[in-house]
Amino acid sequence: MSPALGISLYLAREFALDSQLLQVKLSEVEHLSAQTLAQEQEKQALLAAQNETLEQQVQQRTEQLQRSLTDLRATQAQLIQKEKMASLGELTAGIAHEIQNPLNFVTNFSDLSSELVAELREEQAKGVTADAALQQELFEDLTQNLDKIGHHGRRAAGIVKGMLEHSQTSAGERRPTNLNGLTEEYLRLAYQGLRAKDKAFNVELTTDFAPELTPVTMVGPDVGRVLLNLFTNAFYAVRERQQVGEAGYQPTVRVSTQRVEEQVHIRVQDNGTGMSPAVREKIFQPFFTTKPPGEGTGLGLSLSYDIIAQGHGGTLSVESKQGGGSTFTIILPA
């Protein structure tokens, strides 16, 4: 065999072996590719199933959160309405007590006048023997009684007129308001409202209103509601301390107004139980209350803060010491 033929046969055999090896390797690669593709498809199917499950869970959770949010908003609205009704109840009790006082005078003087008239008729029936001096005295007493009836009747009418003026103010309507008068009125109503519930309650009220304070533009009923809340809380604090039975303790609430440059300050100070630093930090948070269950919603000061800060561009702050009373300060643009 020639060398050339031998080399050709050798190369042919090597080529055949390489071709077979390549064919095997190609088959292995195709098999691995098929396995990889199957695994990838399986992973994709598993991932799709997991995604679908996750989407369903997210959808369910979203629906649950939406329902919870709806329930929370409804509960919040109910609590806000409850707080408004509580303020209305305190205001109504104060108004009723304020009106009751002059009406009691009217009733008493009317009854006394009826007795005087009966006595006068009896004296006049005596004819010529009637005592002229006594009749004159009875006439003078009747005149004084009628004056007092008129005075207390006008006082009751003034209270009703003031309340009607407040009720006729449109929601959110700002108008120049006599701040001293508004503060004094709601202080009296808050005190009388508490006295209507607790006849034994007494407190030393001190007022220091800035003289000749110019009218302040505000939503009167809203600011009045804030003042009513602050006054009610002050009375609650001093009553709580009084009930401890501390020797020599005199419940005191002091209210003042002050003009400071382009601002007006209203301070409500009490010598009640006071607050700890931890309580003071949370006092304006919604639903936070230091009162026992059923006595407070925890929204009074939160709503008051919003009325002053958001509704009037002012500030509401507090300084307090445990056992040393509290001072709330409202600052409004003058």
Side-chain angles (χ1 to χ4, degrees):
M1 179 183 298
S2 66
L5 180 60
I7 293 172
S8 298
L9 291 174
Y10 174 78
L11 291 175
R13 189 183 66 177
E14 290 296 324
F15 178 78
L17 292 173
D18 290 342
S19 178
Q20 291 176 355
L21 181 60
L22 288 173
Q23 188 66 36
V24 171
K25 294 294 184 182
L26 180 61
S27 298
E28 291 178 354
V29 169
E30 289 177 349
H31 179 67
L32 290 174
S33 297
Q35 285 184 337
T36 302
L37 180 61
Q39 291 175 352
E40 186 65 27
Q41 290 176 343
E42 184 179 354
K43 289 180 181 179
Q44 290 293 336
L46 179 61
L47 182 61
Q50 290 177 343
N51 286 338
E52 184 178 356
T53 302
L54 183 60
E55 288 178 359
Q56 292 176 353
Q57 291 176 346
V58 169
Q59 181 65 27
Q60 292 174 356
R61 184 59 177 164
T62 301
E63 292 175 355
Q64 291 175 355
L65 290 174
Q66 187 63 40
R67 287 194 297 269
S68 298
L69 180 60
T70 302
D71 294 342
L72 180 61
R73 287 174 176 171
T75 302
Q76 184 179 19
Q78 292 174 357
L79 288 172
I80 291 175
Q81 184 64 25
K82 181 179 179 181
E83 179 65 30
K84 290 180 179 179
M85 293 305 296
S87 297
L88 179 61
E90 294 168 356
L91 184 62
T92 302
I95 294 171
H97 201 275
E98 276 287 287
I99 294 177
Q100 188 62 46
N101 286 335
L103 289 182
N104 285 340
F105 280 110
V106 170
T107 301
N108 292 337
F109 282 116
S110 295
D111 293 341
L112 182 58
S113 297
S114 297
E115 295 176 3
L116 291 174
V117 169
E119 187 176 350
L120 180 60
R121 286 177 176 173
E122 182 180 347
E123 189 64 28
Q124 287 178 337
K126 295 179 181 180
V128 295
T129 61
D131 188 338
L134 177 59
Q135 293 185 56
Q136 182 62 31
E137 182 181 347
L138 292 173
F139 275 121
E140 291 177 357
D141 290 343
L142 278 172
T143 301
Q144 292 178 2
N145 285 354
L146 290 174
D147 289 341
K148 291 177 181 178
I149 289 173
H151 169 75
H152 291 291
R154 287 188 293 272
R155 180 183 169 194
I159 295 171
V160 174
K161 181 181 178 182
M163 293 300 100
L164 287 175
E165 288 176 352
H166 285 303
S167 66
Q168 289 171 356
T169 302
S170 301
E173 181 181 352
R174 297 172 178 267
R175 60 174 60 182
T177 303
N178 180 351
L179 183 59
N180 286 343
L182 183 75
T183 304
E184 185 175 20
E185 178 182 1
Y186 276 92
L187 175 62
R188 187 177 64 250
L189 291 175
Y191 180 63
Q192 296 295 356
L194 185 56
R195 286 273 296 162
K197 300 176 183 177
D198 184 2
K199 300 292 185 182
F201 177 72
N202 281 291
V203 62
E204 180 181 340
L205 293 177
T206 304
T207 58
D208 183 15
F209 297 140
E212 301 179 0
L213 184 66
T214 57
V216 180
T217 301
M218 65 175 68
V219 184
D222 287 354
V223 175
R225 182 171 153 200
V226 173
L227 292 171
L228 182 67
N229 183 263
L230 296 183
F231 297 150
T232 302
N233 287 345
F235 293 145
Y236 181 88
V238 297
R239 186 174 64 167
E240 286 291 295
R241 184 172 176 180
Q242 184 182 42
Q243 290 176 346
V244 175
E246 182 180 339
Y249 174 68
Q250 173 59 48
T252 304
V253 173
R254 184 177 184 272
V255 182
S256 65
T257 59
Q258 182 183 15
R259 176 69 179 261
V260 181
E261 296 180 351
E262 298 303 316
Q263 297 176 330
V264 61
H265 294 198
I266 311 168
R267 287 187 175 85
V268 180
Q269 182 179 3
D270 68 74
N271 65 342
T273 53
M275 292 177 276
S276 66
V279 171
R280 190 170 62 248
E281 290 178 1
K282 301 177 182 179
I283 198 66
F284 295 117
Q285 293 180 6
F287 309 111
F288 178 79
T289 180
T290 59
K291 297 178 181 178
E295 290 193 28
T297 62
L299 286 173
L301 286 175
S302 173
L303 292 175
S304 296
Y305 186 90
D306 290 343
I307 289 173
I308 298 300
Q310 299 179 15
H312 291 80
T315 62
L316 174 59
S317 59
V318 61
E319 297 177 3
S320 184
K321 181 180 179 181
Q322 185 75 50
S326 303
T327 300
F328 284 85
T329 302
I330 300 172
I331 299 179
L332 295 172

